DNA sequence: CTCGCGATTCGCT
DNA sequence: GCGAATCGCGAGG
């Protein structure tokens, strides 16, 4: 099954980006709606990378203890979360990986959606090169750290505007999700107490780019 | 200024 | 399943 028929034939469609209004809502709503949509990166040489979003997590404002904005925290690192919707929030984790989020909500609501898994559609070779893996690896963009590396995202991309002229955006195309949509608690947030149990992870069941233990990928 | 730790990944046991 | 890698953030003194 071809997950995105005719996409390779028409980069025109891929170049149309979703407007800021698409991002300006609660993180959970945005997260669900992002599933099955196409994330696009404009490469230096003018080519495009494209991948289908198959796993995301919602992080909600001050009341969510798992979020960087928990308790209303506003610091240099998470400043982008407090800015306008439709921007990219990138931070470094464990000193060696990066995580990429799409800023949601507004105004004054520091919410974001963490990108956790993609199925590569275009530019698989480029992603494989960045990852130091074979192009056939189904896990090229599986997991937030791997995803950021595959797309070449780092701290220099923090604040990038998806709805404006940034080099990354979500294509203005209908979502393609033949797989069932599922939800589960978020991964890696055990420190968040009761908020760790909130089912704010969303994924397409069985898609190749979904991360986590096998039980949480189906 | 010090110090604990993280929205992770990979390799080894 | 466990631990190392690796460093800036952010809370507290």
């Amino acid at each position: 099954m071809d997950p995105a028929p005719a996409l390779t034939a028409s980069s025109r469609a891929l170049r149309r980006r979703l407007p800021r209004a698409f991002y300006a809502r609660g993180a959970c709503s945005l997260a669900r709606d992002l599933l099955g949509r196409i994330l696009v990166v404009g490469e230096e040489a003018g080519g495009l990378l494209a991948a289908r979003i198959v796993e995301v997590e919602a992080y909600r404002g001050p009341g969510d203890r798992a979020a960087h904005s928990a308790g209303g925290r506003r610091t240099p690192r998470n400043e982008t979360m407090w800015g306008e919707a439709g921007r990219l929030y990138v931070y470094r984790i464990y000193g060696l990986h990066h995580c990429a989020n799409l800023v949601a909500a507004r105004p004054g609501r520091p919410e974001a959606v963490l990108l956790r898994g993609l199925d590569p559609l275009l530019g698989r070779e480029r992603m494989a090169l960045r990852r130091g893996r074979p192009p056939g690896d189904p896990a090229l963009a599986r997991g937030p750290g791997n995803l950021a590396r595959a797309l070449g995202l780092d701290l220099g991309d923090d604040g990038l505007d998806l709805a404006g002229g940034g080099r990354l955006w979500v294509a203005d195309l209908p979502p393609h999700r033949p797989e069932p949509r599922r939800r589960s608690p978020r991964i890696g947030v055990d420190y968040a107490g009761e908020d760790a149990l909130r089912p704010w992870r969303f994924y397409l069941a069985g898609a190749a780019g979904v991360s986590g233990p096998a039980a949480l990928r189906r």
Side-chain angles (χ1 to χ4, degrees), chain A residues 122-185:
Chain A
L122 280 183
R124 177 178 283 272
E125 297 282 342
R126 186 92 175 92
M127 299 186 211
L129 206 60
R130 286 192 174 118
R131 290 267 288 116
R133 313 286 300 189
D137 188 342
L140 282 181
R142 176 193 296 170
N146 292 335
L147 183 157
R149 178 170 285 283
L151 300 187
L153 301 174
D154 59 27
L155 291 182
D157 296 297
D158 181 45
L160 180 158
D161 190 2
L162 281 82
R167 71 177 186 93
L168 176 108
W169 63 91
V170 179
D172 187 4
L173 291 168
H176 185 262
R177 41 192 179 213
E179 307 92 340
R181 278 188 285 182
R182 300 260 164 75
R183 63 192 297 168
S184 82

Side-chain angles (χ1 to χ4, degrees), chain A residues 11-89:
Chain A
S11 74
R12 286 258 283 275
L14 286 178
R15 290 183 190 277
R16 261 196 296 279
R17 54 181 80 204
L18 286 170
R20 194 171 317 282
F22 176 81
Y23 303 94
R25 53 176 148 160
C28 282
S29 168
L30 176 61
R32 282 191 297 265
D33 202 357
L34 281 169
L35 286 180
R37 301 212 183 241
I38 311 297
L39 189 67
V40 187
V41 182
E43 294 287 279
E44 295 177 10
L48 295 180
L49 298 188
R52 192 170 63 115
I53 300 171
V54 297
E55 183 190 359
V56 292
E57 282 176 357
Y59 287 83
R60 306 185 69 181
D64 179 6
R65 290 174 58 194
H68 289 170
S69 53
R73 227 164 46 217
R74 183 170 184 167
T75 67
R77 178 179 64 158
N78 73 3
E79 183 58 30
T80 300
M81 278 190 85
W82 292 84
E84 64 185 342
R87 288 191 181 262
L88 189 71
Y89 169 45

